[in-house]
Amino acid sequence: AQTVTQSQPEMSVQEAETVTLSCTYDTSENNYYLFWYKQPPSRQMILVIRQEAYKQQNATENRFSVNFQKAAKSFSLKISDSQLGDTAMYFCAFMNRYSGGSNYKLTFGKGTLLTVNP
Amino acid sequence: GAGVSQSPRYKVAKRGQDVALRCDPISGHVSLFWYQQALGQGPEFLTYFQNEAQLDKSGLPSDRFFAERPEGSVSTLKIQRTQQEDSAVYLCASSSGGGEGYTFGSGTRLTVV
């Protein structure tokens, strides 16, 4: 079974600054996906960024980038030029890569509450 | 539809009451998932459908929980004889398959009093 650990229950950052959220995971699989989801007070989980484990290049999406360290099983999210609208819960999640059945099940961490201060 | 729609958005149930939560996925999405999110926690898997087939229900916490998707589109999560520990947000998500990630609905917040 996979586990995902987010060791920072809460973090805060000043607007326009950079913040990094940590995530570690445990799996015996070699091929998988990793995700960061954002959950604002509206409750809808919004996909922020996705990483395929077999790709060595770190994923980037505008102001969001990841530092994927496969050997260390670490997957941190960096948010640059933080904006007030980035305030939300952020969840790290794991999914097996092989198709079919509940291999598509996501395993989530407990989340990090990020507050961006003006 | 353009997104995953869940109803009702809020539900208050008296302990022992039965409830039904509805999920309308994105049209054409084969995969549908239900997750339970307790306050201050990450979502936890409940059950998975591929079209109308329920392929995994290993996350359902008890036999009071039942899910169906009879025509491979709309899904209903039913909780019988609700208990206080059932209070949570129930999230539905759909996917066309593969590792692209899901599209989530806004969830139903269930409060059992």
Side-chain angles (χ1 to χ4, degrees):
Chain A
Q2 291 78 29
T3 60
V4 177
T5 302
Q6 295 180 247
S7 59
Q8 306 151 314
E10 295 186 35
M11 292 194 71
S12 63
V13 64
Q14 292 299 119
E15 195 175 7
E17 294 189 346
T18 294
V19 64
T20 298
L21 307 184
S22 301
C23 173
T24 59
Y25 58 95
D26 189 21
T27 183
S28 57
E29 301 293 334
N30 193 45
N31 291 309
Y32 48 87
Y33 299 100
L34 294 164
F35 303 86
W36 280 97
Y37 279 89
K38 168 185 177 181
Q39 189 178 42
S42 67
R43 299 200 304 255
Q44 186 174 15
M45 301 285 277
I46 300 166
L47 179 63
V48 175
I49 198 164
R50 166 182 170 273
Q51 175 80 40
E52 298 178 55
Y54 68 92
K55 289 186 177 179
Q56 292 186 339
Q57 186 173 5
N58 288 325
T60 63
E61 195 71 41
N62 300 315
R63 298 183 295 109
F64 300 88
S65 61
V66 299
N67 182 5
F68 174 48
Q69 302 289 329
K70 190 172 184 179
K73 296 181 181 175
S74 171
F75 183 61
S76 60
L77 174 69
K78 185 172 81 171
I79 306 174
S80 304
D81 186 25
S82 297
Q83 300 176 1
L84 297 178
D86 295 335
T87 294
M89 282 290 290
Y90 286 81
F91 292 95
C92 179
F94 174 101
M95 178 196 288
N96 275 317
R97 181 165 184 247
Y98 292 109
S99 63
S102 60
N103 281 331
Y104 291 141
K105 175 171 60 179
L106 281 168
T107 300
F108 287 88
K110 290 189 174 182
T112 297
L113 177 60
L114 175 67
T115 302
V116 180
N117 299 308
Chain B
V4 178
S5 177
Q6 291 188 247
S7 61
R9 187 157 173 78
Y10 300 92
K11 176 69 178 178
V12 178
K14 292 184 178 179
R15 192 171 58 179
Q17 187 178 357
D18 296 350
V19 299
L21 312 180
R22 176 187 169 105
C23 173
D24 200 339
I26 292 175
S27 178
H29 274 192
V30 169
S31 300
L32 186 145
F33 292 80
W34 285 97
Y35 286 80
Q36 180 189 57
Q37 186 177 18
L39 187 63
Q41 301 294 315
E44 293 197 357
F45 171 78
L46 291 177
T47 187
Y48 163 66
F49 288 87
Q50 184 170 315
N51 295 307
E52 68 278 5
Q54 188 175 22
L55 298 186
D56 188 339
K57 54 182 181 179
S58 63
L60 296 177
S62 78
D63 59 7
R64 296 186 295 104
F65 286 70
F66 172 77
E68 61 183 3
R69 194 187 185 196
E71 296 179 358
S73 54
V74 172
S75 177
T76 303
L77 176 67
K78 298 179 179 178
I79 309 173
Q80 297 177 323
R81 305 181 303 281
T82 52
Q83 303 295 315
Q84 282 193 319
E85 61 263 28
D86 300 335
S87 296
V89 172
Y90 291 85
L91 293 167
C92 176
S94 70
S95 169
S96 58
E100 299 303 313
Y102 314 153
T103 301
F104 280 86
S106 294
T108 294
R109 182 180 295 280
L110 173 65
T111 303
V112 181
V113 298

